Coordinates of all heavy atoms in Angstrom, one line a residue:
M237 N 65.7 51.6 89.6 CA 64.9 51.5 88.5 C 65.7 51.9 87.2 O 66.5 52.8 87.2 CB 63.7 52.5 88.5 CG 62.4 51.9 88.1 SD 61.0 53.0 88.0 CE 60.2 52.6 89.5
T238 N 65.4 51.2 86.2 CA 66.2 51.5 84.9 C 65.6 52.7 84.2 O 64.4 53.1 84.5 CB 66.2 50.4 83.9 OG1 64.8 50.2 83.6 CG2 66.6 49.0 84.6
R239 N 66.4 53.3 83.5 CA 66.0 54.5 82.8 C 64.7 54.2 81.8 O 63.8 55.1 81.8 CB 67.1 55.1 81.9 CG 66.8 56.4 81.3 CD 68.0 56.9 80.5 NE 67.5 58.0 79.8 CZ 68.3 58.9 79.3 NH1 69.6 58.9 79.7 NH2 67.8 60.0 78.6
L240 N 64.7 53.2 81.2 CA 63.6 52.8 80.3 C 62.3 52.7 81.2 O 61.2 53.1 80.8 CB 63.9 51.4 79.6 CG 62.7 51.0 78.7 CD1 62.5 51.9 77.6 CD2 63.1 49.5 78.1
K241 N 62.3 52.0 82.3 CA 61.2 51.9 83.2 C 60.7 53.2 83.7 O 59.5 53.5 83.7 CB 61.4 51.0 84.4 CG 61.4 49.5 84.0 CD 61.5 48.6 85.2 CE 61.6 47.2 84.9 NZ 61.8 46.3 86.1
T242 N 61.5 54.1 84.1 CA 61.2 55.5 84.5 C 60.6 56.3 83.4 O 59.5 57.0 83.7 CB 62.5 56.2 85.1 OG1 63.2 55.4 86.1 CG2 62.3 57.6 85.6
T243 N 61.1 56.2 82.2 CA 60.6 56.9 81.1 C 59.1 56.4 80.8 O 58.2 57.2 80.5 CB 61.4 56.8 79.9 OG1 62.7 57.3 80.2 CG2 60.8 57.6 78.7
K244 N 59.0 55.1 80.8 CA 57.7 54.4 80.5 C 56.6 54.9 81.6 O 55.5 55.2 81.2 CB 57.8 53.0 80.6 CG 56.8 52.2 79.9 CD 57.2 50.7 79.8 CE 56.3 49.9 78.9 NZ 56.7 48.6 78.8
L245 N 57.0 54.8 82.9 CA 56.1 55.3 83.9 C 55.7 56.8 83.8 O 54.6 57.1 84.0 CB 56.7 55.1 85.3 CG 56.7 53.6 85.7 CD1 57.5 53.4 87.1 CD2 55.3 53.1 85.9
S246 N 56.7 57.6 83.4 CA 56.4 59.1 83.3 C 55.5 59.2 82.1 O 54.5 60.1 82.2 CB 57.7 59.9 82.9 OG 58.6 59.8 84.1
L247 N 55.6 58.5 81.0 CA 54.7 58.8 79.9 C 53.3 58.2 80.2 O 52.3 58.8 79.9 CB 55.3 58.0 78.6 CG 56.5 58.6 78.0 CD1 57.0 57.7 76.9 CD2 56.2 60.0 77.5
T248 N 53.2 57.1 80.9 CA 52.0 56.5 81.3 C 51.2 57.5 82.2 O 50.0 57.8 82.1 CB 52.1 55.2 82.0 OG1 52.8 54.4 81.1 CG2 50.7 54.7 82.4
G249 N 51.9 58.1 83.2 CA 51.4 59.1 84.1 C 50.9 60.4 83.4 O 49.8 60.9 83.6
A250 N 51.7 60.9 82.4 CA 51.4 62.0 81.7 C 50.1 61.7 80.8 O 49.3 62.6 80.7 CB 52.6 62.5 80.8
A251 N 50.0 60.6 80.2 CA 48.8 60.2 79.4 C 47.6 60.2 80.2 O 46.5 60.7 79.9 CB 49.1 58.9 78.6
S252 N 47.7 59.7 81.4 CA 46.6 59.6 82.4 C 46.1 60.9 82.8 O 45.0 61.3 82.8 CB 46.9 58.8 83.6 OG 47.2 57.4 83.3
L253 N 47.1 61.9 83.1 CA 46.7 63.2 83.5 C 46.1 64.0 82.4 O 45.1 64.7 82.5 CB 48.0 64.0 84.0 CG 48.5 63.6 85.3 CD1 49.8 64.4 85.6 CD2 47.5 63.9 86.4
L254 N 46.6 63.7 81.1 CA 46.0 64.4 80.0 C 44.5 63.9 79.8 O 43.7 64.7 79.5 CB 46.9 64.1 78.6 CG 46.3 64.7 77.4 CD1 46.3 66.2 77.4 CD2 47.2 64.3 76.2
A255 N 44.4 62.7 79.9 CA 43.0 62.1 79.7 C 42.0 62.6 80.7 O 40.9 63.1 80.4 CB 43.0 60.6 79.7
L256 N 42.5 62.7 82.0 CA 41.6 63.2 83.1 C 41.3 64.8 82.8 O 40.2 65.2 83.0 CB 42.3 63.1 84.4 CG 42.3 61.7 84.9 CD1 43.1 61.6 86.2 CD2 40.9 61.2 85.2
S257 N 42.3 65.5 82.4 CA 42.2 67.0 82.2 C 41.2 67.2 81.0 O 40.4 68.1 81.0 CB 43.4 67.7 82.0 OG 44.1 67.3 80.8
L258 N 41.3 66.4 80.0 CA 40.4 66.5 78.8 C 38.9 66.1 79.2 O 38.0 66.9 78.8 CB 40.8 65.6 77.7 CG 42.0 66.1 76.9 CD1 42.4 65.1 75.9 CD2 41.9 67.4 76.3
A259 N 38.8 65.1 80.0 CA 37.4 64.8 80.5 C 36.9 65.9 81.3 O 35.7 66.2 81.2 CB 37.4 63.4 81.2
A260 N 37.6 66.4 82.3 CA 37.1 67.5 83.1 C 36.9 68.7 82.3 O 35.9 69.4 82.5 CB 38.1 67.7 84.1
G261 N 37.7 69.0 81.4 CA 37.4 70.2 80.5 C 36.2 70.1 79.6 O 35.5 71.1 79.6
N262 N 35.8 68.9 79.1 CA 34.7 68.8 78.4 C 33.4 68.9 79.3 O 32.4 69.5 78.9 CB 34.6 67.3 77.7 CG 35.5 67.3 76.6 OD1 35.9 68.3 76.0 ND2 35.9 66.1 76.2
A263 N 33.5 68.4 80.5 CA 32.4 68.5 81.4 C 32.2 70.0 81.8 O 31.0 70.4 81.9 CB 32.6 67.7 82.7
Y264 N 33.2 70.6 82.0 CA 33.1 72.1 82.4 C 32.6 72.9 81.2 O 31.7 73.8 81.3 CB 34.4 72.6 82.8 CG 34.3 74.1 83.2 CD1 33.7 74.5 84.4 CD2 34.9 75.0 82.4 CE1 33.7 75.8 84.7 CE2 34.8 76.4 82.7 CZ 34.2 76.8 83.9 OH 34.1 78.1 84.2
A265 N 33.0 72.5 79.9 CA 32.7 73.4 78.8 C 31.2 73.2 78.6 O 30.6 74.2 78.0 CB 33.4 72.9 77.6
E266 N 30.5 72.2 79.0 CA 29.1 72.1 78.8 C 28.2 73.1 79.7 O 27.1 73.3 79.4 CB 28.7 70.7 78.9 CG 29.2 69.7 77.9 CD 28.9 68.3 78.1 OE1 28.1 68.0 79.0 OE2 29.4 67.4 77.4
Q267 N 28.8 73.4 80.8 CA 28.1 74.3 81.7 C 28.2 75.7 81.3 O 29.1 76.3 80.7 CB 28.7 74.2 83.1 CG 28.4 72.8 83.6 CD 28.5 72.8 85.2 OE1 28.9 73.8 85.8 NE2 28.3 71.6 85.8
Q268 N 27.1 76.5 81.5 CA 26.9 77.9 81.1 C 26.3 78.6 82.4 O 25.7 78.0 83.1 CB 26.0 78.1 80.0 CG 26.6 77.5 78.7 CD 25.6 77.7 77.6 OE1 24.9 76.7 77.2 NE2 25.5 78.8 77.0
Q269 N 26.6 79.9 82.4 CA 26.0 80.8 83.5 C 24.5 81.2 83.0 O 24.4 81.7 82.0 CB 26.9 82.0 83.7 CG 26.5 82.8 84.8 CD 26.7 82.0 86.2 OE1 27.6 81.2 86.4 NE2 25.8 82.3 87.2
F270 N 23.6 81.0 84.0 CA 22.3 81.5 83.7 C 21.8 82.4 84.7 O 22.2 82.3 85.9 CB 21.3 80.2 83.7 CG 21.5 79.4 82.4 CD1 22.3 78.3 82.5 CD2 20.9 79.6 81.3 CE1 22.5 77.5 81.4 CE2 21.0 78.9 80.1 CZ 21.9 77.7 80.3
D271 N 21.1 83.5 84.3 CA 20.5 84.4 85.2 C 19.1 84.8 84.6 O 19.0 85.8 83.9 CB 21.3 85.7 85.4 CG 20.9 86.7 86.4 OD1 19.9 86.3 87.1 OD2 21.4 87.8 86.5
I272 N 18.1 84.0 85.0 CA 16.7 84.2 84.4 C 15.9 84.3 85.7 O 15.8 83.6 86.5 CB 16.3 82.9 83.6 CG1 17.3 82.8 82.4 CG2 14.9 83.0 83.2 CD1 17.1 81.4 81.7
E273 N 15.1 85.5 85.6 CA 14.1 85.9 86.7 C 12.9 84.9 86.6 O 12.5 84.4 85.6 CB 13.8 87.3 86.5 CG 14.8 88.4 86.5 CD 15.4 88.6 87.8 OE1 14.7 88.4 88.9 OE2 16.6 88.8 88.0
A274 N 12.2 84.9 87.8 CA 11.0 84.2 87.8 C 10.0 85.2 87.0 O 10.0 86.4 87.2 CB 10.4 84.1 89.3
Q275 N 9.3 84.6 86.1 CA 8.5 85.4 85.2 C 7.5 84.5 84.4 O 7.6 83.2 84.7 CB 9.3 86.2 84.2 CG 10.2 85.3 83.4 CD 11.3 86.1 82.7 OE1 11.0 87.2 82.1 NE2 12.5 85.7 82.7
S276 N 6.9 85.0 83.4 CA 6.0 84.1 82.5 C 6.9 83.1 81.9 O 8.1 83.3 81.5 CB 5.2 85.0 81.5 OG 6.1 85.4 80.5
L277 N 6.3 82.0 81.7 CA 7.1 80.9 81.0 C 7.5 81.3 79.6 O 8.6 81.0 79.2 CB 6.2 79.6 80.9 CG 6.9 78.4 80.3 CD1 8.2 78.0 81.0 CD2 5.9 77.2 80.3
A278 N 6.7 82.0 78.8 CA 7.0 82.5 77.5 C 8.3 83.4 77.5 O 9.3 83.1 76.8 CB 5.9 83.2 76.9
K279 N 8.3 84.3 78.5 CA 9.5 85.1 78.6 C 10.8 84.4 79.1 O 11.9 84.6 78.6 CB 9.2 86.4 79.4 CG 8.3 87.4 78.8 CD 8.1 88.5 79.8 CE 7.1 89.5 79.1 NZ 6.8 90.7 80.0
A280 N 10.6 83.5 80.0 CA 11.7 82.7 80.5 C 12.3 81.8 79.4 O 13.6 81.8 79.3 CB 11.3 81.8 81.7
L281 N 11.5 81.3 78.5 CA 12.0 80.5 77.4 C 12.8 81.4 76.4 O 13.8 81.0 75.9 CB 10.9 79.8 76.7 CG 10.2 78.6 77.6 CD1 9.1 78.0 76.8 CD2 11.3 77.5 77.8
L282 N 12.3 82.6 76.2 CA 13.0 83.5 75.3 C 14.4 83.9 75.9 O 15.4 83.9 75.2 CB 12.2 84.8 75.1 CG 11.0 84.7 74.2 CD1 10.2 85.9 74.1 CD2 11.4 84.2 72.7
E283 N 14.4 84.1 77.2 CA 15.8 84.4 77.9 C 16.6 83.2 77.9 O 17.8 83.4 77.7 CB 15.5 84.8 79.3 CG 15.1 86.3 79.4 CD 15.1 86.9 80.8 OE1 16.1 86.5 81.6 OE2 14.4 87.7 81.1
F284 N 16.1 82.1 78.0 CA 16.9 80.8 77.9 C 17.5 80.7 76.6 O 18.7 80.4 76.4 CB 16.0 79.6 78.2 CG 16.7 78.2 77.9 CD1 17.6 77.8 78.9 CD2 16.6 77.6 76.7 CE1 18.3 76.5 78.6 CE2 17.3 76.4 76.5 CZ 18.2 75.9 77.5
N285 N 16.7 81.0 75.5 CA 17.2 81.0 74.1 C 18.5 81.9 74.0 O 19.4 81.5 73.4 CB 16.2 81.4 73.1 CG 15.1 80.3 72.9 OD1 15.2 79.2 73.4 ND2 14.0 80.7 72.3
E286 N 18.3 83.1 74.5 CA 19.3 84.1 74.4 C 20.6 83.7 75.2 O 21.7 83.8 74.7 CB 18.9 85.5 74.9 CG 17.8 86.2 74.0 CD 17.3 87.4 74.6 OE1 17.9 87.9 75.5 OE2 16.2 87.9 74.0
Q287 N 20.4 83.2 76.4 CA 21.5 82.9 77.2 C 22.2 81.6 76.9 O 23.4 81.5 77.1 CB 21.1 82.9 78.7 CG 20.7 84.2 79.2 CD 20.3 84.3 80.7 OE1 20.7 83.5 81.5 NE2 19.4 85.3 81.1
S288 N 21.5 80.6 76.4 CA 22.1 79.3 76.1 C 22.6 79.2 74.7 O 23.5 78.4 74.4 CB 21.1 78.2 76.3 OG 20.1 78.3 75.3
G289 N 22.0 80.0 73.7 CA 22.4 79.9 72.3 C 21.6 78.7 71.7 O 21.8 78.5 70.5
L290 N 20.7 78.1 72.4 CA 19.9 77.0 71.9 C 18.5 77.6 71.6 O 18.3 78.8 72.0 CB 19.7 75.9 73.0 CG 21.0 75.2 73.4 CD1 20.7 74.2 74.5 CD2 21.7 74.5 72.2
T291 N 17.8 76.8 70.9 CA 16.5 77.2 70.5 C 15.4 76.3 71.2 O 15.5 75.1 71.0 CB 16.3 77.2 69.0 OG1 17.3 77.9 68.3 CG2 14.8 77.6 68.5
V292 N 14.4 77.0 71.8 CA 13.3 76.3 72.3 C 12.1 76.9 71.8 O 11.9 78.2 71.8 CB 13.3 76.4 73.9 CG1 12.0 75.8 74.4 CG2 14.5 75.8 74.5
A293 N 11.2 76.2 71.2 CA 10.0 76.6 70.6 C 8.8 76.0 71.3 O 8.8 74.7 71.4 CB 9.9 76.4 69.1
A294 N 7.8 76.7 71.6 CA 6.6 76.1 72.2 C 5.3 76.9 71.7 O 5.4 78.1 71.6 CB 6.7 76.2 73.8
P295 N 4.3 76.2 71.3 CA 3.1 76.9 71.0 C 2.6 77.8 72.0 O 2.6 77.5 73.3 CB 2.1 75.8 70.8 CG 2.9 74.5 70.5 CD 4.1 74.8 71.4
R296 N 2.1 79.0 71.6 CA 1.8 80.1 72.5 C 0.7 79.6 73.5 O 0.7 79.9 74.7 CB 1.2 81.3 71.7 CG 0.9 82.5 72.6 CD 0.5 83.6 71.7 NE 1.5 83.9 70.8 CZ 1.3 84.7 69.8 NH1 0.2 85.4 69.6 NH2 2.3 85.0 68.9
E297 N -0.3 78.7 73.0 CA -1.4 78.3 73.8 C -0.9 77.4 75.0 O -1.6 77.2 75.9 CB -2.5 77.7 73.0 CG -2.2 76.5 72.2 CD -1.6 76.8 70.8 OE1 -1.5 78.0 70.5 OE2 -1.3 75.8 70.0
L298 N 0.3 76.7 74.7 CA 0.7 75.8 75.8 C 1.5 76.6 76.9 O 1.5 76.1 78.0 CB 1.7 74.8 75.2 CG 1.1 73.7 74.3 CD1 2.2 72.7 73.8 CD2 0.1 72.8 75.2
V299 N 2.0 77.7 76.6 CA 2.8 78.4 77.7 C 2.0 79.6 78.2 O 2.4 80.2 79.3 CB 4.2 78.9 77.1 CG1 5.1 77.8 76.7 CG2 4.0 79.9 76.0
A300 N 0.9 79.9 77.7 CA 0.0 81.0 78.1 C -0.3 80.7 79.6 O -0.7 79.6 80.0 CB -1.2 81.1 77.2
D301 N -0.3 81.8 80.4 CA -0.7 81.8 81.8 C 0.2 80.8 82.6 O -0.3 80.5 83.7 CB -2.2 81.4 81.9 CG -3.1 82.4 81.2 OD1 -2.8 83.6 81.2 OD2 -4.1 82.0 80.6
K302 N 1.3 80.4 82.2 CA 2.2 79.6 83.1 C 3.3 80.4 83.5 O 3.8 81.3 82.8 CB 2.7 78.4 82.3 CG 1.6 77.4 81.9 CD 2.1 76.1 81.4 CE 1.0 75.3 80.8 NZ 0.3 74.5 81.7
R303 N 3.9 80.1 84.7 CA 5.0 80.9 85.2 C 6.2 79.9 85.3 O 6.1 78.7 85.4 CB 4.6 81.3 86.6 CG 3.4 82.2 86.7 CD 3.7 83.6 86.5 NE 4.7 84.2 87.3 CZ 5.3 85.4 87.0 NH1 4.9 86.0 85.8 NH2 6.2 85.9 87.6
A304 N 7.3 80.5 85.3 CA 8.6 79.8 85.4 C 9.4 80.4 86.6 O 9.4 81.5 86.9 CB 9.5 80.0 84.2
P305 N 10.0 79.5 87.3 CA 10.8 80.0 88.5 C 12.1 80.6 88.0 O 12.6 80.5 86.9 CB 11.1 78.6 89.2 CG 11.1 77.7 88.2 CD 10.1 78.1 87.1
A306 N 12.8 81.3 88.9 CA 14.1 81.9 88.6 C 15.1 80.8 88.4 O 15.0 79.7 89.1 CB 14.5 82.8 89.8
V307 N 16.0 80.9 87.5 CA 17.1 80.0 87.3 C 18.4 80.8 87.3 O 18.6 81.6 86.3 CB 16.8 79.2 86.0 CG1 18.0 78.2 85.7 CG2 15.6 78.4 86.0
R308 N 19.3 80.5 88.3 CA 20.4 81.2 88.3 C 21.6 80.2 88.7 O 21.4 79.3 89.5 CB 20.4 82.3 89.4 CG 19.5 83.4 89.1 CD 19.6 84.6 90.1 NE 18.8 85.6 89.8 CZ 17.5 85.7 90.3 NH1 17.0 84.8 91.0 NH2 16.8 86.8 89.8
G309 N 22.7 80.5 88.1 CA 23.9 79.7 88.3 C 24.5 79.0 87.1 O 24.0 79.2 86.0
S310 N 25.6 78.3 87.4 CA 26.3 77.6 86.3 C 25.9 76.1 86.2 O 25.9 75.4 87.2 CB 27.8 77.6 86.7 OG 28.5 77.0 85.6
M311 N 25.3 75.8 85.1 CA 24.8 74.4 84.9 C 24.7 74.1 83.3 O 24.8 75.0 82.5 CB 23.4 74.3 85.5 CG 22.3 75.2 84.9 SD 20.8 75.3 85.9 CE 21.3 76.6 87.1
E312 N 24.5 72.9 83.1 CA 24.2 72.5 81.7 C 22.9 73.1 81.2 O 22.0 73.2 82.0 CB 24.2 71.0 81.5 CG 25.6 70.4 81.9 CD 25.5 68.9 81.7 OE1 24.6 68.3 81.2 OE2 26.5 68.2 82.2
P313 N 22.8 73.5 79.9 CA 21.6 74.1 79.4 C 20.4 73.2 79.6 O 19.3 73.7 80.0 CB 21.9 74.4 77.9 CG 23.3 74.5 77.9 CD 23.8 73.5 78.9
E314 N 20.5 71.9 79.5 CA 19.4 71.0 79.7 C 18.9 71.1 81.1 O 17.6 71.0 81.3 CB 19.8 69.5 79.3 CG 20.1 69.4 77.8 CD 21.5 69.8 77.4 OE1 22.4 70.2 78.4 OE2 21.8 69.8 76.2
M315 N 19.7 71.2 82.1 CA 19.3 71.3 83.5 C 18.6 72.6 83.7 O 17.6 72.7 84.4 CB 20.5 71.2 84.4 CG 20.2 71.4 85.8 SD 19.0 70.2 86.5 CE 20.0 68.7 86.6
A316 N 19.1 73.7 83.1 CA 18.4 75.0 83.2 C 17.0 74.9 82.6 O 16.0 75.4 83.2 CB 19.3 76.1 82.5
L317 N 16.9 74.3 81.4 CA 15.6 74.2 80.8 C 14.6 73.3 81.7 O 13.4 73.6 81.9 CB 15.7 73.5 79.4 CG 14.4 73.3 78.6 CD1 13.8 74.7 78.4 CD2 14.7 72.8 77.2
E318 N 15.1 72.3 82.2 CA 14.3 71.4 83.2 C 13.7 72.3 84.3 O 12.6 72.2 84.7 CB 15.1 70.3 83.8 CG 15.2 69.1 82.9 CD 15.9 68.0 83.6 OE1 15.7 67.7 84.7 OE2 16.7 67.3 82.9
K319 N 14.6 73.1 84.9 CA 14.2 74.0 86.0 C 13.2 75.0 85.6 O 12.2 75.3 86.3 CB 15.5 74.7 86.6 CG 16.3 73.8 87.4 CD 17.5 74.6 88.0 CE 18.3 73.6 88.8 NZ 19.1 74.2 89.9
I320 N 13.4 75.6 84.4 CA 12.4 76.6 83.8 C 11.0 75.9 83.7 O 10.0 76.5 84.0 CB 12.9 77.2 82.5 CG1 14.0 78.0 82.7 CG2 11.7 77.9 81.8 CD1 14.7 78.4 81.4
L321 N 10.9 74.6 83.2 CA 9.7 73.9 83.0 C 9.2 73.3 84.2 O 8.0 72.9 84.2 CB 9.9 72.9 81.9 CG 10.3 73.4 80.5 CD1 10.6 72.1 79.6 CD2 9.2 74.3 79.9
S322 N 9.9 73.3 85.3 CA 9.4 72.6 86.6 C 8.1 73.3 87.0 O 8.0 74.5 87.0 CB 10.5 72.6 87.6 OG 10.7 73.9 88.2
G323 N 7.2 72.5 87.4 CA 5.9 73.0 87.9 C 4.8 73.4 86.8 O 3.7 73.7 87.1
S324 N 5.4 73.4 85.6 CA 4.5 73.8 84.5 C 3.6 72.6 83.8 O 2.7 72.8 83.0 CB 5.3 74.4 83.2 OG 6.1 73.4 82.6
G325 N 4.0 71.3 84.2 CA 3.5 70.2 83.6 C 3.9 69.9 82.3 O 3.4 69.1 81.5
M326 N 5.0 70.6 81.8 CA 5.6 70.4 80.4 C 6.9 69.8 80.6 O 7.5 69.9 81.7 CB 5.6 71.8 79.7 CG 4.3 72.5 79.5 SD 4.5 74.0 78.9 CE 5.0 73.7 77.2
R327 N 7.4 69.2 79.5 CA 8.7 68.7 79.5 C 9.3 69.0 78.1 O 8.6 69.2 77.1 CB 8.8 67.1 79.7 CG 8.0 66.3 78.7 CD 8.1 64.9 79.0 NE 7.2 64.1 78.2 CZ 7.6 63.7 76.9 NH1 8.7 64.0 76.5 NH2 6.7 63.0 76.2
S328 N 10.7 69.1 78.0 CA 11.3 69.4 76.7 C 11.5 68.1 75.9 O 11.5 67.0 76.5 CB 12.5 70.0 76.9 OG 13.5 69.3 77.7
N329 N 11.6 68.3 74.6 CA 11.9 67.2 73.7 C 13.0 67.7 72.7 O 12.8 68.7 72.0 CB 10.7 66.7 72.9 CG 11.0 65.6 71.9 OD1 11.7 64.7 72.2 ND2 10.3 65.7 70.8
E330 N 14.2 67.1 72.7 CA 15.3 67.5 71.7 C 15.0 66.9 70.4 O 14.8 65.8 70.2 CB 16.6 67.1 72.3 CG 17.7 67.7 71.5 CD 19.1 67.4 72.0 OE1 19.2 66.6 73.0 OE2 20.1 67.9 71.5
L331 N 15.0 67.8 69.4 CA 14.9 67.5 68.0 C 16.2 67.1 67.4 O 17.3 67.4 68.0 CB 14.3 68.6 67.2 CG 13.0 69.1 67.7 CD1 12.5 70.3 66.9 CD2 11.9 68.0 67.6
S332 N 16.2 66.4 66.3 CA 17.5 66.0 65.6 C 18.3 67.2 65.3 O 19.6 67.1 65.0 CB 17.2 65.1 64.4 OG 16.4 65.9 63.5
T333 N 17.7 68.4 65.2 CA 18.4 69.7 64.7 C 19.2 70.3 65.9 O 20.0 71.2 65.8 CB 17.4 70.6 64.2 OG1 16.5 70.9 65.2 CG2 16.7 70.1 62.9
G334 N 18.9 69.7 67.1 CA 19.5 70.3 68.3 C 18.6 71.3 69.0 O 18.8 71.7 70.1
A335 N 17.4 71.6 68.3 CA 16.5 72.6 68.9 C 15.6 71.7 69.9 O 15.6 70.5 69.9 CB 15.7 73.2 67.9
Y336 N 14.8 72.5 70.8 CA 14.0 71.8 71.8 C 12.6 72.4 71.4 O 12.3 73.4 71.1 CB 14.3 72.2 73.1 CG 15.6 71.5 73.6 CD1 16.9 72.1 73.3 CD2 15.6 70.3 74.3 CE1 18.1 71.5 73.7 CE2 16.8 69.7 74.7 CZ 18.1 70.3 74.4 OH 19.2 69.7 74.8
T337 N 11.6 71.4 71.7 CA 10.1 71.8 71.7 C 9.6 71.4 73.1 O 10.2 70.7 73.8 CB 9.4 71.0 70.7 OG1 9.5 69.6 70.9 CG2 9.8 71.3 69.3

């Protein structure tokens, strides 16, 4: 192989590895660690706010008397929120501000 072809192949391989590592890094960066106990939905949403850094707001009358399951592990915040809301009959809606209702 000529030196030019070898250099070209090395650069192409390096660029591919860089692209793959950036894609994997972005996917990993979106995941966060959650440790939320099974409790009232209102308290679980407050803990989600604290642990995710995101804001979820829900009218008190909608979350009253509802329970949330425990949510533990590393996952994207949206997945954690889905798990918190599972079984409540509620779903989240992302606002243009990045907050959730």
Side-chain angles (χ1 to χ4, degrees):
M237 217 185 265
T238 66
R239 183 178 173 154
L240 180 60
K241 283 185 181 180
T242 303
T243 302
K244 200 173 191 180
L245 285 174
S246 294
L247 290 175
T248 302
S252 297
L253 285 175
L254 178 62
L256 287 173
S257 65
L258 287 174
N262 286 339
Y264 180 75
E266 293 176 7
Q267 294 201 354
Q268 293 177 259
Q269 188 66 33
F270 290 93
D271 186 12
I272 300 172
E273 300 288 328
Q275 60 193 315
S276 73
L277 183 55
K279 288 183 181 179
L281 290 173
L282 288 174
E283 282 194 35
F284 173 82
N285 288 348
E286 290 175 14
Q287 293 182 27
S288 69
L290 298 174
T291 301
V292 177
R296 186 177 306 170
E297 61 273 5
L298 286 180
V299 297
D301 301 323
K302 293 189 188 285
R303 302 276 306 159
V307 176
R308 291 189 179 90
S310 180
M311 64 193 82
E312 293 179 12
E314 292 82 5
M315 178 61 72
L317 183 55
E318 277 185 38
K319 289 184 177 201
I320 290 169
L321 294 175
S322 68
S324 70
M326 299 175 69
R327 62 180 175 81
S328 66
N329 180 40
E330 186 175 7
L331 303 175
S332 61
T333 62
Y336 289 85
T337 59

